[in-house]
Amino acid sequence: MHRREFLQILAAAAAAGFALDSPSLLAAQDDGRLYDVPKFGKVHFLHFTDCHAQLLPIYFREPDTNLGIGGAKGRAPHLVGEHLLKSFGIAPGTREAHAFSCLNFEAASRAYGRVGGFAHLATLVKRLRASRPGSLLLDGGDTWQGSATALWTQGQDMVDATKLLGVDMMSPHWEFTLGAERVKELVEKDMAGKIEFLAQNVKTSDFGDQVFKPYALREMNGVQVAVIGQAFPYTPIANPRWMMPDWTFGIQEEELQKIVDEVRSKGAQVVVLLSHNGMDVDLKLASQVRGMDAIMGGHTHDGVPVPVPVANAGGKTLVINSGSNGKFLSVLDFDVKDGKVSDFRYKLLPIFSNLLPADAAMATYIAKARAPFEAKLGEKLAVSEGLLYRRGNFNGSWDQLILDALMEVKGADIGFSPGFRWGTSLLPGQDITMEDLMTQTAITYPQSTLTEMKGSQIKAILEDVGDNLFNPDPYLQQGGDMVRVGGMSYTCAPEAVVGDRIRDMRLHGKPLEADKTYKVAGWAPVAQGATGQPIWEVVATWLKAKKTVSTRRVNQPALVGMEGNPGKV
């Protein structure tokens, strides 16, 4: 870091109230210790997940609300803010506290800079692999979706980037929204002989044949290792079914047990599940299926600093979740004795782009891949006066901006926006570019809609999504967050039974009437043949007219029974 840059960090931190002699601030100078991870044992895995096609460094605010109910209350991943820091022994005000929590986000972001970026990730991967011969780099999926360039190249830019990064194996979810034919084309042509695309739970709907390889066996430093792939089980429910009409998904617990037994019979001494289930599902799965040493998971975007050991009939399984947006890299080392794992070491490393020099080859590739689109990506739409973020169980300021634009343009009473967990953050005063807007909206079914709905239908929709989020059985959860709601207030009781979670729905202070019809704007319809202007065009037009966007007042529901829940700041 140059002296001028460090002085800028000092000035920003001082303005935010940071002590100028604090260890956390002085640590902004790279002393190299953050990324010193001593090698341990003979078996090594590196893991990232849910990068959502973010090739460049970004800002990303962790959630302030990630509620756990029932047995999940007070347990990872349902810990946020100070509760998370205390649980994992992370000192407040440090760089690590910024990486894992939403606390002091604006000031800390200005102090510590952007996170992620494939060029910086590549540098760290190379450093770690230099001391870990034979290590496997695992990609947990949601890699080919989440940016304008990934959408416009149908995932090509990300496939090429992951090949250059040295990914060995991956499991999928949003990849399927490119359509079955495009997925097969990329897997069978571009990735053949380079990256294993693993999904034990994706089968043909007619005869139940495996569509993709269920697992891969490798020998690492004299130890036989198996990696089993698990695609997102609810892909045809959470995303359009017509995009993968001939394939079935599901958790398939019994089939997974058979595969674990199979690879063990073939000599695997270490077995890892590369999962896109979501962490709550992985925790339950680990208690039900024996013989897995670790589940390296994704989908729910949870950056959990340490593994959660789960007991089962065969011993224990470590459950790991490695965050999102290219912001983290997991390092899992196993020591193997007498044909089985005897010990492990683990570290979840935040990728601070100003502490890791950009890998030259990856930086060159990224510049070349982006070059045809630079003018469109850099188009300035407006300036944001407030912080824009997405992640959180109920709403975020980015989602609120989308809702405000959608309702105003469509002339709607109420707005719905999907509870997506992907999407980067913008600091106050930053320009909103077309690229920034696309990081919130870049999907293959982006149509905006205006629908007439009765009050009873609106409640049914909210109850259905609420049950997906708060069902006490993890196997009945599908990940994601609550549908974002604009124009209408409501109360949510997460611990109530389905049908009674959503209460006191009001529009302009008046209760919604069950039989009355309301105009509801939305986007991302899963039905085939939907029409409507792409959401990014709707919002871009609105932003250009505004020129400057004021701080959004985020519409959050009133919560019942969540007092003291450590999943809420």
Side-chain angles (χ1 to χ4, degrees):
M1 183 180 294
H2 297 296
R3 181 174 181 272
R4 176 180 295 177
E5 292 171 322
F6 185 59
L7 291 175
Q8 290 173 343
I9 286 176
L10 287 177
F18 280 67
L20 295 189
D21 60 350
S22 69
S24 61
L25 183 61
L26 297 176
Q29 300 178 90
D30 183 12
D31 58 11
R33 288 180 298 176
L34 178 64
Y35 300 116
D36 283 345
V37 184
K39 173 191 172 185
F40 177 79
K42 292 184 176 181
V43 176
H44 318 289
F45 296 99
L46 309 178
H47 177 250
F48 70 96
T49 187
D50 297 275
C51 74
H52 284 286
Q54 297 305 312
L55 289 173
L56 297 179
I58 56 154
Y59 295 114
F60 182 78
R61 180 185 182 272
E62 296 295 328
D64 57 19
T65 308
N66 188 3
L67 297 172
I69 64 171
K73 181 179 179 179
R75 297 174 49 195
H78 302 287
L79 298 164
V80 299
E82 294 178 353
H83 305 291
L84 182 146
L85 302 185
K86 183 178 180 180
S87 180
F88 295 111
I90 300 173
T94 61
R95 184 199 289 118
E96 288 76 9
H98 173 50
F100 289 103
S101 79
C102 63
L103 301 176
N104 304 309
F105 177 75
E106 182 185 339
S109 293
R110 297 189 189 281
Y112 297 122
R114 297 176 188 265
V115 295
F118 260 50
H120 307 277
L121 175 61
T123 295
L124 183 56
V125 167
K126 288 181 178 180
R127 284 190 191 180
L128 293 166
R129 281 188 146 169
S131 63
R132 289 167 168 79
S135 59
L136 291 175
L137 177 59
L138 307 181
D139 173 359
D142 280 5
T143 305
W144 307 350
Q145 178 276 332
S147 72
T149 55
L151 180 68
W152 296 337
T153 65
Q154 293 186 289
Q156 192 69 57
D157 66 330
M158 294 310 301
V159 171
D160 293 342
T162 50
K163 286 163 63 177
L164 183 59
L165 186 64
V167 169
D168 294 291
M169 303 166 190
M170 74 172 291
S171 60
H173 169 209
W174 272 91
E175 285 71 17
F176 294 119
T177 64
L178 293 177
E181 292 306 312
R182 178 58 174 164
V183 171
K184 289 172 66 177
E185 179 184 25
L186 290 170
V187 170
E188 294 171 3
K189 295 180 181 179
D190 294 74
M191 295 166 60
K194 299 290 185 180
I195 301 175
E196 301 269 22
F197 191 89
L198 305 176
Q200 73 87 18
N201 58 331
V202 180
K203 299 185 171 98
T204 59
S205 55
D206 50 7
F207 300 111
D209 297 327
Q210 294 281 171
V211 178
F212 306 102
K213 287 185 63 174
Y215 63 85
L217 290 168
R218 297 285 180 91
E219 184 177 307
M220 188 187 305
N221 304 314
V223 179
Q224 188 81 338
V225 171
V227 177
I228 303 169
Q230 178 88 348
F232 178 51
Y234 300 108
T235 299
I237 299 173
N239 306 103
R241 174 63 176 161
W242 58 268
M243 291 181 171
M244 63 296 292
D246 301 321
W247 300 342
T248 64
F249 290 75
I251 295 172
Q252 300 192 24
E253 183 183 290
E254 293 182 3
E255 290 299 312
L256 176 59
Q257 183 65 72
K258 291 177 183 177
I259 290 176
V260 172
D261 294 343
E262 179 180 333
V263 297
R264 288 289 185 186
S265 71
K266 290 182 176 181
Q269 299 174 50
V270 178
V271 177
V272 167
L273 181 69
L274 179 57
S275 164
H276 204 90
N277 284 329
M279 190 164 181
D280 285 325
V281 175
D282 283 337
L283 289 168
K284 179 174 179 179
L285 191 68
S287 71
Q288 303 291 103
V289 177
R290 66 186 183 280
M292 298 183 294
D293 296 295
I295 299 177
M296 306 196 81
H299 180 61
T300 40
H301 294 199
D302 301 306
V304 180
V306 301
V308 178
V310 178
N312 53 56
K316 288 186 178 180
T317 298
L318 302 175
V319 176
I320 289 161
N321 209 283
S322 304
S324 66
N325 287 278
K327 183 179 175 180
F328 295 101
L329 181 71
S330 277
V331 186
L332 176 62
D333 295 331
F334 282 121
D335 192 24
V336 178
K337 294 180 180 178
D338 300 322
K340 62 182 180 181
V341 169
S342 60
D343 202 357
F344 76 94
R345 298 289 184 274
Y346 177 77
K347 192 74 174 178
L348 182 56
L349 297 172
I351 310 298
F352 285 98
S353 60
N354 60 4
L355 299 188
L356 291 163
D359 176 76
M362 185 64 78
T364 298
Y365 164 73
I366 292 171
K368 182 179 179 181
R370 289 172 55 85
F373 312 108
E374 283 290 0
K376 184 65 175 174
L377 293 170
E379 180 185 2
K380 177 181 172 180
L381 305 177
V383 176
S384 176
E385 292 182 342
L387 173 67
L388 294 178
Y389 63 92
R390 168 168 279 173
R391 183 69 208 282
N393 277 165
F394 294 102
N395 208 346
S397 50
W398 251 124
D399 295 293
Q400 191 64 54
L401 184 152
I402 292 170
L403 286 165
D404 292 345
L406 191 58
M407 289 188 296
E408 185 173 326
V409 171
K410 296 286 188 180
D413 304 309
I414 296 167
F416 285 164
S417 189
F420 296 142
R421 291 190 173 187
W422 47 272
T424 61
S425 304
L426 281 183
L427 302 183
Q430 284 191 274
D431 291 339
I432 303 174
T433 65
M434 192 66 191
E435 180 168 24
D436 297 320
L437 176 57
M438 293 299 286
T439 64
Q440 314 298 318
T441 59
I443 62 175
T444 53
Y445 48 108
Q447 295 82 8
S448 57
T449 61
L450 182 64
T451 308
E452 290 192 347
M453 293 185 186
K454 290 184 177 181
S456 58
Q457 292 176 295
I458 294 170
K459 176 175 168 58
I461 290 171
L462 296 181
E463 287 283 1
D464 184 59
V465 180
D467 193 52
N468 161 50
L469 182 60
F470 297 119
N471 193 296
D473 183 351
Y475 280 10
L476 299 179
Q477 299 171 7
Q478 297 167 19
D481 284 312
M482 189 68 182
V483 61
R484 281 60 168 111
V485 180
M488 182 193 87
S489 66
Y490 69 100
T491 296
C492 180
E495 292 182 316
V497 297
V498 63
D500 191 39
R501 287 193 180 96
I502 307 302
R503 308 170 183 176
D504 196 26
M505 301 184 302
R506 292 177 178 267
L507 183 64
H508 307 308
K510 297 180 180 180
L512 257 65
E513 300 175 32
D515 293 329
K516 185 175 179 179
T517 299
Y518 302 89
K519 292 182 179 180
V520 181
W523 66 284
V526 297
Q528 188 171 10
T531 60
Q533 190 179 19
I535 185 63
W536 53 76
E537 292 183 6
V538 174
V539 179
T541 300
W542 184 83
L543 287 169
K544 289 177 185 178
K546 295 288 184 184
K547 295 185 175 59
T548 299
V549 182
S550 60
T551 301
R552 298 292 93 184
R553 182 178 178 275
V554 179
N555 183 35
Q556 301 277 21
L559 296 178
V560 174
M562 293 295 104
E563 299 80 5
N565 190 299
K568 191 175 188 304
V569 171

